[in-house]
Amino acid sequence: MEKAGLRRIPVDELNAATPLAVMASATTPAELFYARSHSASPAIDNGGWRLQVLGHREVQLSLAELQAMETTSATITMECAGNGRSGMDPQPGGTPWDLGAVSTAQFTGVHLRAVLEAAGIDEGVAEILFTGADSGEVAPGRTETYRRSLPLETALDPGVLLAWTMGGEPLTAEHGAPLRLVVPGWYGMASVKWLTTIEAISQPFSGYYQDDRYVYDGEEGLADGTTVTTTRVRSLIATPAEGDVVGGQVEISGGAWSGDGNISSVEVSTDGGSSWSLAALDIAPTPMAATLWKLEWAPTAGTHHLVARATDAAGNVQPLQAVWNEHGYGNNAVHRVTVTSES
């Protein structure tokens, strides 16, 4: 079995992966939720912090004022766009994620829509721009603050939150305290951390983390510059783990999710993909949380190659092989695990 703690990514101390075994649980403990940052956590005085909202009028909100608004909670699976980058051939540059850059938690906060309505949204607004307090060097002599926008329609979706707790506890520094954006169904780059400013803008935003990164370049079937948005359908095998020795009756289990619809099926192969069996699906706590699945299996003696493949309600199916692109985003190839049985 995998080690129980977060796994720091080699040569990248800011980022850490969740153990795959956690995917067999409905939620991820806060201390095991994957960490993804582009630069060091900014130093923020929570007491003096204010969220600046620029709409028809300017509104300044303290954390206490936000918490006095109508609050809501939702269980959401969040995945880094680069999850699985190391499985592409050739491997693109960027953080060398294996498969642990995904976690599920209950987030509590206020609807973004309510905050936008408090500031007023003028006719002609096209996007909502979010600025974090973090900044760092992206190239020699070039420093960028983390800024990203959402289409107005997406920002007004009632599922989009401004969250101050994760897993029932206040956000920690590495997860965006005191306030972060949470965009269900989108890859994690959209869920801006350490929020300082929200601004309604009339023209599409252009910036480093909007146009230079988090776009699909060089992927077959997509125009270069296509924006990375919703999470592609994916399933992961939580148990057994790679290299396990199994015997008797074995439960193959894991989680599956998609930003484009509920999971409609998970198929499992124990012979490398030559034949498939339908796994039993649990009911996900929310449409944007992972669906747990399991399959009972009685292995024969020898080496077995397990594969899990998910399909979502929109008809999207995991590919059997990784689809390459220049930045290594959106790799949702089927998960493969090799185990040995002595029975």
Side-chain angles (χ1 to χ4, degrees):
M1 297 293 290
E2 288 187 69
K3 189 176 179 180
L6 281 172
R7 294 179 289 110
R8 291 288 162 184
I9 302 302
V11 305
D12 192 343
E13 63 181 17
L14 297 174
N15 301 300
T18 299
L20 291 185
V22 175
M23 290 306 301
S25 302
T27 58
T28 307
E31 65 273 15
L32 294 180
F33 199 99
Y34 84 94
R36 172 64 175 116
S37 299
H38 296 86
S39 55
S41 300
I44 297 176
D45 173 14
N46 288 0
W49 174 89
R50 295 290 185 276
L51 176 67
Q52 181 184 44
V53 187
L54 301 172
H56 177 72
R57 54 192 164 273
E58 179 179 347
V59 176
Q60 299 269 350
L61 295 167
S62 68
L63 186 59
E65 288 170 327
L66 285 164
Q67 292 172 338
M69 300 174 69
E70 182 179 353
T71 62
T72 187
S73 297
T75 301
I76 294 165
T77 295
M78 188 179 295
E79 181 180 18
C80 176
N83 197 28
R85 179 178 285 125
S86 63
M88 290 182 167
D89 185 19
Q91 183 176 322
T95 302
W97 291 108
D98 190 0
L99 293 173
V102 58
S103 303
T104 302
Q106 183 184 73
F107 291 92
T108 296
V110 64
H111 293 292
L112 169 64
R113 180 172 189 154
V115 171
L116 293 174
E117 289 173 346
I121 303 172
D122 290 328
E123 187 175 345
V125 168
E127 295 184 346
I128 305 298
L129 175 63
F130 304 88
T131 301
D134 51 325
S135 64
E137 190 174 68
V138 298
R142 180 181 179 183
T143 297
E144 293 285 346
T145 296
Y146 195 82
R147 308 179 81 200
R148 280 191 57 88
S149 67
L150 290 175
L152 179 62
E153 181 182 8
T154 302
L156 293 178
D157 187 289
V160 180
L161 305 180
L162 300 176
W164 51 79
T165 76
M166 184 177 76
E169 299 292 335
L171 289 173
T172 60
E174 69 178 349
H175 291 301
L179 190 75
R180 73 174 299 168
L181 180 66
V182 177
V183 185
W186 282 48
Y187 281 112
M189 79 284 150
S191 296
V192 180
K193 299 191 288 186
W194 306 293
L195 272 176
T196 60
T197 305
I198 298 174
E199 181 180 359
I201 57 177
S202 59
Q203 299 295 326
F205 171 67
S206 178
Y208 179 80
Y209 292 108
Q210 191 89 12
D211 300 324
D212 291 39
R213 293 294 183 269
Y214 299 114
V215 292
Y216 293 112
D217 286 333
E219 180 167 312
E220 185 176 355
L222 286 180
D224 283 356
T226 298
T227 303
V228 175
T229 57
T230 54
T231 53
R232 293 172 169 176
V233 62
R234 172 172 245 163
S235 60
L236 290 180
I237 299 170
T239 60
E242 177 69 26
D244 275 359
V245 177
V246 299
Q249 193 73 9
V250 177
E251 181 179 275
I252 306 171
S253 67
W257 62 95
S258 171
D260 293 319
N262 293 329
I263 296 299
S264 58
S265 68
V266 174
E267 301 166 279
V268 178
S269 174
T270 58
D271 55 14
S274 296
S275 62
W276 300 87
S277 298
L278 282 174
L281 305 183
D282 286 355
I283 298 175
T286 70
M288 290 303 163
T291 296
L292 301 185
W293 56 265
K294 61 185 176 183
L295 178 74
E296 297 297 329
W297 172 51
T300 56
T303 298
H304 300 273
H305 303 285
L306 312 182
V307 191
R309 178 174 66 185
T311 301
D312 66 23
N316 300 304
V317 184
Q318 282 185 268
L320 294 178
Q321 303 296 330
V323 178
W324 189 88
N325 58 72
E326 183 178 328
H327 303 296
Y329 297 136
N331 176 14
N332 65 330
V334 295
H335 186 199
R336 300 174 184 270
V337 170
T338 299
V339 298
T340 302
S341 174
E342 296 179 342
S343 59

